[in-house]
Amino acid sequence: MLPLLAAASVAADTPALGPGARNPILPGYFADPSIVHAEGEWFVYATVDPWGGDTLALWRSRDLRDWTLTTPAWPTKRAATSPTSNDSRVWAPSVVRAHGRYWMYVSVGSEIWVGSAPHPGGPWRDATRGRPLIPGNFRPGYHMIDAEAFVDDDGQAYLYWGSGLNWVNGRCFAVRLKPDMVSFDGAPIDVTPAHYFEAPFMFKRDGVYFLTYSWGNTTTDSYQVRYAVGSSPLGPFHEPEDRPILATDRARGIVSPGHHAVFRAGDEDFILYHRQSLPYAPGGDVRRQVAVDRLVVRGDRIDPVAASNQGADVPGTAARRARTAITPAAITASRADPAHAAALAGDDNYATSWRSTRAGTLVLDLGRRQRVTRLVLRPGAPTVPTRLGVDVSDDAVTWRPIAPVRAVSGSPVTIVVDRAVRLLRVTLPDGGEIIEADAEPVHE
């Protein structure tokens, strides 16, 4: 019998923590998502938690489940800053297509910047020549963040933005954009509906304009998505009923869902949003994850979203990530805690992970010698370097290094194995987090 550590028990107190859950769709901690579909590929732009980074995260996928992380060269905190910005970093992107190009409206500090690119993947370039479109002091007393662009059926574009301060006094501003997408066509107006805090998103169905937005506090369980309707892009808007589209459901592990985007695939609507990671601890670190669910619009009403942990079957994408990995007989670790047990690195669920705050090892026991082409790792913090190395063994006594300890970043991280092995050991000398660890077999 191999001298391996006993596998830690896996507690699945809620459906969100069960094996095979399809929400969240991104491996890692991200927020404020925007989504674009082009040339058969999905692009999700998101804030790096906690509270933004020096750059944005751009995830790319063809099936809404297997994602590759890239980092756009623009925007960066250093390249997009002005005398009216603050210490807040890059966050809350919105990307739309207009006039043959893609346009990104993004918060950097406490103001709005604009970039443009010929393709959703870039290259992105500053479109306002080194100055913010909306400076931080544009409306004193309010946060000039969370800009979202909307392009109407006639090609006319509009911009919506605004947030409160200290979790109160949110206001929503709107303006028509000129064809250059960076000039205002008229003065901005206040279109704030009831129950508004931040994160506006506009969409149109059958002649009805839906202004959707977040209300509450994302650091508690009060954050939620609400909506108002109008007959024009600039309102006036009114809430047809006093109930949220999307709200906390603790029994199902859905806490503080919000800051969303609505997109259409086939003849159906979907909502992409962030929610707090689990286990959720009020007052703790803000570590949010991105999920998707179906949205149902009926006339001038939106049904409350049945937020799930199984996501939504978006037309044209795989219903579930194809599990090509070898199912390990056991996954063990040198150290872990109950919320981040070793087995959680192999449960096909991006909401769970193995984590060690100090030096630790994670061992995948395949049960017998099998030919492995590669080890695919999805780190919990893919935007920052993590030092790790990989060894293999057949008896847990003699280990052979196949990847020396080095700093890696990105997701997924692929380690070439190309041999028959029984055990694979991942060593993290400084600690770290692994959301998924998959040993890929040889495919005949």
Side-chain angles (χ1 to χ4, degrees):
M1 187 173 193
L2 295 172
L4 297 178
L5 297 175
S9 62
V10 180
D13 298 327
T14 71
L17 300 178
R22 291 162 55 195
N23 269 334
I25 64 169
L26 298 181
Y29 305 99
F30 302 91
D32 315 325
S34 180
I35 187 167
V36 169
H37 187 248
E39 301 173 4
E41 190 172 11
W42 295 94
F43 301 80
V44 169
Y45 311 80
T47 300
V48 178
D49 259 348
W51 302 123
D54 289 331
T55 60
L56 286 176
L58 169 54
W59 292 89
R60 303 176 64 158
S61 173
R62 291 192 175 273
D63 61 7
L64 283 179
R65 181 63 179 179
D66 280 313
W67 295 90
T68 299
L69 177 66
T70 63
T71 302
W74 188 95
T76 67
K77 178 63 175 176
R78 183 175 181 177
T81 190
S82 82
T84 61
S85 63
N86 61 20
D87 292 337
S88 295
R89 296 185 178 276
V90 182
W91 50 348
S94 164
V95 176
V96 298
R97 188 175 189 274
H99 309 300
R101 292 184 64 82
Y102 291 87
W103 302 87
M104 179 190 296
Y105 299 84
V106 60
S107 303
V108 184
S110 185
E111 52 195 18
I112 306 301
W113 288 71
V114 187
S116 184
H119 184 270
W124 289 94
R125 298 287 186 268
D126 183 356
T128 50
R129 299 181 181 180
R131 60 178 177 80
L133 176 66
I134 304 172
N137 60 358
F138 185 79
R139 288 291 187 273
Y142 301 101
H143 237 159
M144 297 295 101
I145 61 171
D146 292 357
E148 284 283 348
F150 163 70
V151 181
D152 208 344
D153 300 333
D154 60 2
Q156 177 61 57
Y158 301 82
L159 191 67
Y160 306 81
W161 75 93
S163 175
L165 292 171
N166 302 317
W167 306 111
V168 295
N169 300 327
R171 306 303 296 180
C172 182
F173 303 100
V175 71
R176 186 192 307 263
L177 292 174
K178 291 183 179 180
D180 65 5
M181 299 296 286
V182 296
S183 301
F184 292 170
D185 186 3
I189 63 173
D190 188 332
V191 297
T192 307
H195 302 101
Y196 177 89
F197 178 68
E198 64 183 4
F201 188 96
M202 170 64 72
F203 71 97
K204 180 184 181 182
R205 296 292 178 268
D206 298 325
V208 179
Y209 294 87
F210 293 89
L211 179 61
T212 58
Y213 39 89
S214 294
W215 184 58
N217 185 333
T218 194
T219 67
T220 72
D221 64 0
S222 65
Y223 209 52
Q224 56 187 236
V225 178
R226 303 181 74 97
Y227 76 103
V229 298
S231 58
S232 82
L234 297 178
F237 298 101
H238 71 279
E239 290 188 352
E241 50 195 346
D242 185 7
R243 66 173 178 173
I245 300 172
L246 194 57
T248 291
D249 184 347
R250 280 183 172 270
R252 300 168 73 184
I254 297 160
V255 180
S256 276
H259 202 131
H260 63 293
V262 174
F263 67 98
R264 198 162 180 82
D267 295 325
E268 298 179 272
D269 289 307
F270 299 86
I271 184 168
L272 185 75
Y273 60 95
H274 71 234
R275 62 198 201 191
Q276 291 284 352
S277 62
L278 300 176
Y280 171 67
D285 290 340
V286 174
R287 294 164 65 87
R288 296 161 293 184
Q289 296 176 310
V290 174
V292 65
D293 279 297
R294 182 171 284 101
L295 187 73
V296 177
V297 179
R298 304 180 193 274
D300 64 352
R301 298 291 194 275
I302 301 176
D303 288 354
V305 173
S308 74
N309 298 300
Q310 293 307 316
D313 294 330
V314 178
T317 64
R320 178 180 295 275
R321 181 166 69 98
R323 287 293 285 172
T324 59
I326 299 169
T327 301
I331 303 181
T332 59
S334 60
R335 61 178 72 251
D337 63 74
H340 297 282
L344 296 176
D347 63 353
D348 192 25
N349 183 347
Y350 292 159
T352 62
S353 63
W354 168 71
R355 188 187 303 170
S356 176
T357 57
R358 293 179 290 168
T361 58
L362 181 74
V363 177
L364 281 69
D365 181 0
L366 307 183
R368 59 181 176 83
R369 293 185 81 244
Q370 299 186 57
R371 185 82 180 181
V372 177
T373 58
R374 59 182 189 165
L375 177 65
V376 180
L377 304 173
R378 293 176 177 83
T383 62
V384 298
T386 297
R387 291 206 314 135
L388 62 81
V390 178
D391 307 304
V392 297
S393 176
D394 292 325
D395 58 9
V397 175
T398 301
W399 293 90
R400 302 181 300 279
I402 60 170
V405 172
R406 68 187 191 280
V408 300
S409 58
S411 181
V413 172
T414 300
I415 307 296
V416 175
V417 180
D418 195 26
R419 68 194 71 196
V421 298
R422 175 172 177 175
L423 300 113
L424 299 107
R425 182 177 66 186
V426 182
T427 299
L428 287 83
D430 306 318
E433 180 177 15
I434 301 296
I435 290 177
E436 288 291 317
D438 291 333
E440 300 284 354
V442 172
H443 297 289
E444 302 297 338

